[in-house]
Every structure is written in structure tokens, then in C-alpha cells.
Amino acid sequence: IGSASTLEEYTKNYIEVVGSTSMLHGLAGVEAMCLVKPRENAEELLKKNLIGKSWFGASYLSGRVTTHESCEAVHKCLQREDKFRVLEQEWKQNCAKHFPYSAYFEGSRVAELAENPSSVLKVQSALDSLAIQ
């Protein structure tokens, strides 16, 4: 990153290097790029760095790089801009697939928890055994 000669080059390198290890850093890099280079297409950069990345791959999930909290933070950021409505919905659907018990993302198994309270205990037990907080 440090070998960049311009702010635009530094930002591009930041997105590629740091943004590939953290979705929130990637999002920050995209925002920075749009400030440095106002004509840059923010939606295309976001698609490439959020939807196009394998944030829901096994290594990101098991390494806790991708968490419900980070996915929610990205979603809230996308919600701020009406022009990202389609991208925001796509992100929400991706997150709902990977977090099926998420009320925030309206996961497919949320209703099951509401209808069967004993399911909550099973989920809590699973979370405890995985040490997820």
C-alpha cells in the first residue's frame, strides 16, 4: 500500500489489500475512492467488493471475518442511499441465506423460532458450544 504515488493509487491498493480481508474496510475503501475520484461508479465498486467477493465462503465464516454484526453494518450503510436499493436487497438476501435465524435479515428459519420456543434453546445450546457471542 505504501508504495503508491497518488491518493487514488493508494486507495485502489487499500481496497485490494485491506478490503479483501474485511468487508467493512472494503466498504470504507470504496467510500474513499468515491471521494478521491468522484466520477467512479460507487455501485460497480460495491458490487465487486461486496457481492462479487466470497464473504460467505467457509474460510471467512469459520475465521469469523464475516459475522452477523459486520453484515448488518454493511446493510445499514447501503440503506442510507436510495440509489443502492437493489444492491441493498441483494446483500440482505445473501445474508439471510447464511444467517437463517436472523430476524434482522428475515432469515428463513425465524418463524420456526417464534412458533416453537424450544428451538430457541437448541440454537442457544449450539451457540454456546461454538462459543459464539
Side-chain angles (χ1 to χ4, degrees):
I1 294 175
S3 64
S5 59
T6 66
L7 188 54
E8 180 181 336
E9 195 176 302
Y10 176 87
T11 306
K12 183 179 177 183
N13 290 344
Y14 179 90
I15 292 171
E16 291 173 7
V17 175
V18 181
S20 67
T21 61
S22 163
M23 69 177 73
L24 296 174
H25 285 86
L27 183 63
V30 168
E31 287 185 270
M33 181 59 86
C34 291
L35 291 172
V36 170
K37 191 176 177 187
R39 285 187 246 147
E40 192 68 48
N41 186 331
E43 188 169 1
E44 287 303 314
L45 283 173
L46 289 168
K47 279 183 187 178
K48 178 182 174 188
N49 291 286
L50 292 176
I51 305 299
K53 293 274 186 185
S54 58
W55 292 116
F56 299 103
S59 63
Y60 286 110
L61 291 167
S62 66
R64 307 224 198 252
V65 173
T66 298
T67 64
H68 187 277
E69 183 180 27
S70 60
C71 289
E72 187 176 334
V74 168
H75 183 255
K76 286 180 179 178
C77 192
L78 293 173
Q79 280 182 315
R80 286 190 239 144
E81 297 282 339
D82 284 338
K83 64 184 176 183
F84 300 139
R85 189 67 53 209
V86 171
L87 188 59
E88 176 255 321
Q89 285 301 310
E90 187 175 353
W91 181 254
K92 184 177 180 179
Q93 289 170 0
N94 285 342
C95 294
K97 287 178 194 171
H98 295 282
F99 299 106
Y101 291 102
S102 171
Y104 181 85
F105 291 116
E106 300 171 3
S108 62
R109 304 201 67 188
V110 171
E112 180 183 324
L113 292 178
E115 294 167 5
N116 185 0
S118 66
S119 296
V120 174
L121 297 176
K122 290 177 188 174
V123 170
Q124 185 59 51
S125 175
L127 292 174
D128 289 343
S129 67
L130 292 172
I132 297 175
Q133 298 182 8

